[in-house]
Amino acid sequence: MTVEDEIEIMGQRLNRKIKGLFGRSLSIREVDAGSCNACEVEVNALSNPIYDLERFGIHIVASPRHADMLLVTGPVTRNMELALLKTYNATPEPKLVVAMGSCACNGGIFGETYASSGGVDRFMPVDVYIPGCPPRPQAVIFGLMVAVDKIEQKIRKLEVKA
Amino acid sequence: MSEELIETIKKEFRSDILDEIVSNNEHYLTVNKDAAVHICDYLYHTLNFPLILIFATDERAKERTKDGCFKIHYVFSCKSDLFIIIKIKVEEKSPGFPTLTHKIPAANWYEREIQDMFGLVPVGHPDPRRLIHFEDWPAGLYPLRKDFDIRTKPPRVKGEYIYRRVEGEGVYEIPVGPVHAGVIEPGHFRFSVAGEPILNLEIRHFYTHKGVEKSFESMSLDKAVFLAERISGDNSAAHAVAFCQAVEKIAGVDIPPRAKYIRTILLELERLYNHFGDIAGIATDVAYPFGAAHANKLKEQVMQLNEKVTGSRLLRGMNAIGGVRRDIGDKKEMILKELDSLQKDFMELMELLISSPSVADRIETTGRISNEIAKGLHVVGPAGRASGIDNDIRRDHPYAAYHKLDFKVPVIKAGDVNARTNVRAYEVYESLSLIKLALSGLPGSEIRTKIKKIPDGCALGYTESPRGEIFYWVHISNGRIERCKVRDPSFCNWLAIEYAVLDNIVPDFPIINKSLSLSYSGNDM
Ligand code: SF4
């Protein structure tokens, strides 16, 4: 199976879930919290004409205020901590946080130093971890599928409370 | 030639030279602290050698050997594959050293970096603000000093960062970042504008500073290769090869010829996907999405090829100390076929771009960097070559298989976005031809030399990455990394953007930025 076929199959499944849940696109705000940029290279690859993730209802937005989900990369550096927290606080509930890449999951090769904190979950609850350094585009799509299932659970919980 | 040169320098400064060490193509001269500026100025202005790197080391532990103090190294790149390294000693009790920035603007950030990381003070520096640490970092803590524990978590203190101010009627500021609208790395830009034209831009970086140089010091050599690959994500191969070459030089090992050819192929594949990506970025920002889609497709094609050839879309895990991990000989036909299709498609794309007046209108004369500015700041890579700087490490200090292969180094004088786009386009053709040449000349041999023991020593390792020259200076002692200085090309090129945007309009900033293709992570580390 070619990469294109894999993407097509996973993308269709993802699309059905998103449509059923939102009736619109899933909006994602990407935050680089100190990555090496390779994770960004792969997120950007998802928008190239070969993957073209937008056609499956994945929309990368410019502001956290428009986002359903934060996709965070990097080990969270001391110098990005505040900006990441501000972005998190600006995202409306119910929100999802996805840690993408080994760095975001647990600090990766940068670990814990005077300048690197060792992962996103030190600062906020993380819903889905996507390992890989960087994760391949297929892995990112799979991670998004898991995340969409989670948001469904979150919405139910909110409804029950209400 | 190089002996004569060294003799001339020694004659000129005999009384100031305290010590001399020669190792491979590196000539170290320890000089009097007070004479450093004069000597560096002579090398730079009289002999015309570019200053490529300044870094410090903490050698206080050598106290008993009477040599215990900090050292600052100034590295110059000379003709005929020689590097001259001027060294000065700086005592802990008098941590000042004379600034070089007035004479050589390229020294600016290096000196501020040394101030933040070692606590040595560049006396008379025109801009002595902090560079890497933010205002909330406590005074008196210097991470690259040997007595600083890497896991220290300093408390946040109160402080304020003062931006340059431009005042006048109708002048206002636009702050941008660190979190940007697009999927890009974090950094802060502060524009002072009057209407559309930009009067001043101040960049503020180091949001992604992770303490990489300190991390090297607690890592095994094999693991350190993986760290080098992750300094600037899309320049993985270039960083890994530069690091490996430095270690191999210390070990005195000449890696097998086949490994050299394979490294060359990897480095050129990296250049291809980066250049396609940069051209796509420029097309996006001039609102030419058709061209951007076309270029992005080419980039993806190369990344998929990378995966088929090496197992990694970003060419990771291939390089190792002593050679490469995997042979690629059996993939030759597949690569050649793919290269032909890339070449054909790329020619079509460039015809489209060149013949589109809406593209030309946005990129010609936009974001000019004069040759003078480029030389003063030591702008490297395609950005430098587009401003008339005829530098390319592959040709000037050959490594891997480059001295065996024929290629041209395009140089254009105009210095605008158009020139930077064209330099990349020419380089794409050169890369395609280099990969073909390397594949057809692939020598039969082992692909990795086993290195048993690495002796103590230090050496430079370097490559010409898609963004420009990468330098590593590695010092090994007892089989461990004592110091690893990394200089990514973006550390040189970032300052140039403050000049490139002047008198341009704000909407052209993204194009100028893309055309310089700057790495944040490589810069901040
Ligand atoms: S996970 Fe790997 S690829 Fe992603 S930012 Fe970290 S080091 Fe880079």
Side-chain angles (χ1 to χ4, degrees):
Chain A
M1 194 165 16
T2 64
V3 177
E4 287 79 359
D5 294 337
E6 285 170 18
I7 300 288
E8 195 61 42
I9 294 168
M10 297 173 81
Q12 295 295 356
R13 268 174 61 191
L14 182 57
N15 191 14
R16 278 195 294 276
K17 283 191 183 186
I18 292 175
K19 257 203 196 137
L21 199 61
F22 294 97
R24 57 158 171 90
S25 285
L26 170 73
S27 298
I28 302 178
R29 171 67 263 194
E30 202 266 0
V31 186
D32 176 338
S35 92
C36 78
N37 193 32
C39 278
E40 276 61 42
V41 168
E42 293 300 37
V43 174
N44 281 320
L46 290 171
S47 313
N48 74 30
I50 292 184
Y51 302 135
D52 189 16
L53 219 59
E54 185 110 18
R55 74 199 149 113
F56 300 126
I58 298 288
H59 186 48
I60 302 209
V61 291
S63 163
R65 299 199 190 277
H66 306 156
D68 305 305
M69 173 197 292
L70 290 182
L71 182 64
V72 189
T73 66
V76 190
T77 56
R78 178 185 166 103
N79 292 349
M80 269 308 287
E81 211 181 291
L82 186 65
L84 175 64
L85 284 172
K86 279 188 181 170
T87 310
Y88 178 78
N89 290 334
T91 313
E93 298 275 1
K95 55 191 157 197
L96 275 175
V97 178
V98 176
M100 172 185 171
S102 315
C103 291
C105 291
N106 71 347
I109 198 159
F110 304 109
E112 246 193 285
T113 68
Y114 66 92
S116 152
S117 67
V120 179
D121 59 11
R122 311 261 157 132
F123 304 99
M124 54 193 61
V126 171
D127 298 288
V128 177
Y129 298 82
I130 307 179
C133 186
R136 298 167 79 219
Q138 292 93 318
V140 181
I141 298 179
F142 185 79
L144 294 181
M145 271 202 255
V146 177
V148 171
D149 286 342
K150 276 230 159 172
I151 210 165
E152 199 176 357
Q153 293 168 12
K154 280 200 180 186
I155 293 173
R156 288 236 178 82
K157 258 190 215 154
L158 278 183
E159 280 169 357
V160 171
K161 258 192 216 162
Chain B
M1 162 75 191
S2 29
E3 284 96 64
E4 269 170 47
L5 190 74
I6 300 286
E7 278 316 309
T8 331
I9 297 166
K10 285 207 289 204
K11 213 153 74 213
E12 191 78 24
F13 300 102
R14 181 153 325 262
S15 58
D16 288 316
I17 296 176
L18 308 173
D19 185 27
E20 180 181 2
I21 299 172
V22 188
S23 126
N24 298 306
N25 61 346
E26 300 162 27
H27 207 110
Y28 295 83
L29 295 171
T30 306
V31 306
N32 273 325
K33 184 158 104 175
D34 300 328
V37 170
H38 192 39
I39 298 175
C40 291
D41 186 38
Y42 174 81
L43 290 173
Y44 184 84
H45 283 113
T46 311
L47 299 180
N48 253 322
F49 297 151
L51 170 72
I52 52 170
L53 174 64
I54 307 177
F55 65 94
T57 52
D58 178 359
E59 298 176 22
R60 287 174 301 162
K62 285 202 209 152
E63 212 72 72
R64 263 156 272 124
T65 62
K66 82 177 176 359
D67 223 15
C69 55
F70 295 97
K71 302 231 170 94
I72 298 179
H73 302 61
Y74 303 85
V75 187
F76 291 86
S77 158
C78 313
K79 287 179 211 87
S80 53
D81 194 18
L82 174 76
F83 293 98
I84 295 182
I85 298 118
I86 303 294
K87 281 169 74 168
I88 57 170
K89 295 180 188 175
V90 183
E91 306 278 340
E92 188 176 357
K93 49 185 189 298
S94 60
F97 64 99
T99 178
L100 191 59
T101 306
H102 294 291
K103 303 268 184 195
I104 309 177
N108 184 345
W109 274 21
Y110 295 116
E111 292 183 338
R112 288 169 65 189
E113 180 186 34
I114 291 172
Q115 175 170 267
D116 279 10
M117 302 304 274
F118 286 91
L120 308 178
V121 185
V123 179
H125 195 289
D127 181 10
R129 285 176 302 175
R130 285 181 174 180
L131 183 70
I132 293 167
H133 300 321
F134 281 12
E135 58 280 4
D136 63 6
W137 181 268
L141 278 180
Y142 308 109
L144 284 178
R145 286 193 175 189
K146 288 286 173 193
D147 47 16
F148 180 94
D149 179 0
I150 186 168
R151 294 177 71 96
T152 316
K153 293 276 177 204
R156 291 185 190 269
V157 297
K158 269 212 154 43
E160 197 192 349
Y161 186 87
I162 313 280
Y163 287 92
R164 287 195 297 264
R165 286 206 73 106
V166 179
E167 279 167 1
E169 208 187 304
V171 177
Y172 63 98
E173 281 186 350
I174 312 176
V176 180
V179 179
H180 301 290
V183 179
I184 53 167
E185 298 178 83
H188 184 78
F189 300 88
R190 191 158 291 211
F191 300 91
S192 297
V193 295
E196 292 266 274
I198 302 168
L199 300 179
N200 185 55
L201 164 64
E202 181 165 355
I203 53 172
R204 183 171 186 212
H205 283 333
F206 301 92
Y207 284 91
T208 72
H209 177 69
K210 300 178 268 283
V212 167
E213 286 183 10
K214 188 82 178 174
S215 294
F216 269 114
E217 294 173 14
S218 51
M219 231 170 234
S220 73
L221 280 165
D222 285 326
K223 192 172 174 195
V225 182
F226 296 121
L227 181 59
E229 282 179 339
R230 283 152 183 82
I231 286 177
S232 175
D234 46 10
N235 280 201
S236 296
H239 269 278
V241 171
F243 175 75
C244 290
Q245 285 177 164
V247 178
E248 288 152 7
K249 208 165 162 189
I250 297 170
V253 167
D254 192 22
I255 65 164
R258 192 175 178 87
K260 290 187 186 170
Y261 274 71
I262 295 177
R263 278 186 181 172
T264 308
I265 293 166
L266 300 177
L267 292 167
E268 294 308 318
L269 282 171
E270 184 162 272
R271 195 174 327 277
L272 277 182
Y273 86 75
N274 271 277
H275 280 10
F276 290 148
D278 290 340
I279 291 171
I282 294 167
T284 307
D285 286 340
V286 297
Y288 189 55
F290 178 67
H294 200 117
N296 271 324
K297 186 192 127 238
L298 295 179
K299 177 181 181 183
E300 176 63 24
Q301 248 172 288
V302 183
M303 292 185 74
Q304 291 193 12
L305 177 67
N306 291 346
E307 188 172 29
K308 284 183 200 141
V309 175
T310 69
S312 157
R313 286 165 54 86
L314 292 122
L315 304 165
R316 290 180 172 181
M318 274 295 276
N319 284 289
I321 293 166
V324 291
R325 284 206 174 79
R326 249 204 219 193
D327 201 356
I328 62 171
D330 57 329
K331 310 276 188 340
K332 190 171 153 181
E333 293 311 316
M334 184 186 70
I335 302 175
L336 286 174
K337 212 173 121 210
E338 195 69 25
L339 292 183
D340 281 341
S341 120
L342 287 169
Q343 179 141 6
K344 201 175 127 270
D345 288 352
F346 185 65
M347 278 164 76
E348 265 173 37
L349 165 66
M350 284 318 288
E351 265 164 37
L352 277 173
L353 275 180
I354 290 166
S355 60
S356 160
S358 70
V359 174
D361 184 49
R362 295 289 303 276
I363 66 177
E364 279 171 10
T365 71
T366 305
R368 249 195 107 238
I369 300 174
S370 70
N371 180 267
E372 200 190 343
I373 297 280
K375 189 164 178 277
L377 295 175
H378 189 54
V379 176
V380 297
R385 291 190 282 277
S387 290
I389 307 262
D390 189 9
N391 276 355
D392 191 322
I393 291 281
R394 294 177 293 173
R395 180 200 61 201
D396 304 337
H397 300 283
Y399 55 92
Y402 286 109
H403 60 296
K404 294 258 173 64
L405 307 170
D406 201 25
F407 65 99
K408 285 198 244 3
V409 177
V411 179
I412 302 178
K413 292 217 172 67
D416 54 3
V417 174
N418 188 32
R420 293 191 278 276
T421 312
N422 285 329
V423 164
R424 289 200 181 87
Y426 290 132
E427 290 187 4
V428 163
Y429 294 119
E430 292 300 321
S431 289
L432 290 166
S433 124
L434 269 168
I435 301 174
K436 285 183 200 156
L437 286 175
L439 276 172
S440 64
L442 204 62
S445 73
E446 294 287 302
I447 54 166
R448 189 169 175 190
T449 311
K450 279 261 166 311
I451 302 176
K452 284 190 201 79
K453 198 180 168 327
I454 296 173
D456 291 2
C458 55
L460 286 168
Y462 36 83
T463 48
E464 182 76 25
S465 82
R467 294 194 173 89
E469 49 187 52
I470 290 176
F471 275 95
Y472 275 69
W473 184 86
V474 181
H475 178 193
I476 292 181
S477 160
N478 295 321
R480 285 191 46 258
I481 299 173
E482 180 69 21
R483 171 93 168 97
C484 179
K485 172 66 203 161
V486 187
R487 204 274 273 135
D488 188 82
S490 298
F491 193 81
C492 299
N493 288 2
W494 264 115
L495 275 176
I497 203 171
E498 296 190 344
Y499 296 89
V501 298
L502 294 180
D503 293 330
N504 283 266
I505 54 173
V506 178
D508 277 345
F509 171 73
I511 314 166
I512 300 171
N513 193 10
K514 284 277 168 48
S515 74
L516 286 165
S517 176
L518 296 151
S519 160
Y520 299 64
S521 184
N523 176 71
D524 305 353
M525 283 192 302

